[in-house]
Amino acid sequence: LDRNRRRPGSCAVGVLSAPMDNPPNACWLKSRAVRAVRKEGVRACWPPGSKFVPSDPDRAENDVAAKHDERLAKYAAAAGSSESKPDAATLRTRAGAIRGAIKHA
């Protein structure tokens, strides 16, 4: 906090390395952070009032998967009568097969 008071923006994030890193449990300040990266044992702290705090990579990945499943469910609901509607798992399988076919086309 003192560093940011003296030079605003000079500390975007403080990072403590993991016990198994080399050097172990090292601490450093970064002047910018573009994206968050999950690494076992590493801790990052953003100072109060930070303008940019990257989103949690695990949460972002889960959000993307959830939105994808929602879209698949909408496609399933729009596929015809209730007797012939494929479920989300079937649509996921079809989407994977289409992606695979496009890769090898």
Side-chain angles (χ1 to χ4, degrees):
L1 291 175
D2 287 338
R3 182 176 177 164
N4 269 348
R5 281 189 201 112
R6 287 190 304 262
R7 290 187 337 198
S10 62
C11 175
V13 62
V15 181
L16 178 65
S17 67
M20 59 284 233
D21 280 342
N22 187 11
N25 299 318
C27 181
W28 65 95
L29 300 176
K30 291 189 164 202
S31 59
R32 70 183 199 121
V34 177
R35 65 183 177 93
V37 177
R38 172 82 49 212
K39 186 173 178 188
E40 185 72 30
V42 174
R43 298 287 175 239
C45 300
W46 282 264
S50 294
K51 291 180 182 166
F52 175 74
V53 177
S55 60
D56 182 337
D58 293 338
R59 183 178 302 154
E61 187 175 301
N62 290 337
D63 288 348
V64 168
K67 286 179 184 174
H68 179 69
D69 285 346
E70 285 175 22
R71 284 193 301 269
L72 288 178
K74 286 179 184 176
Y75 292 140
S81 69
S82 61
E83 296 173 14
S84 65
K85 289 182 187 176
D87 62 2
T90 301
L91 289 173
R92 193 176 299 112
T93 301
R94 289 180 184 172
I98 292 167
R99 277 192 295 275
I102 290 171
K103 277 185 191 176
H104 301 292

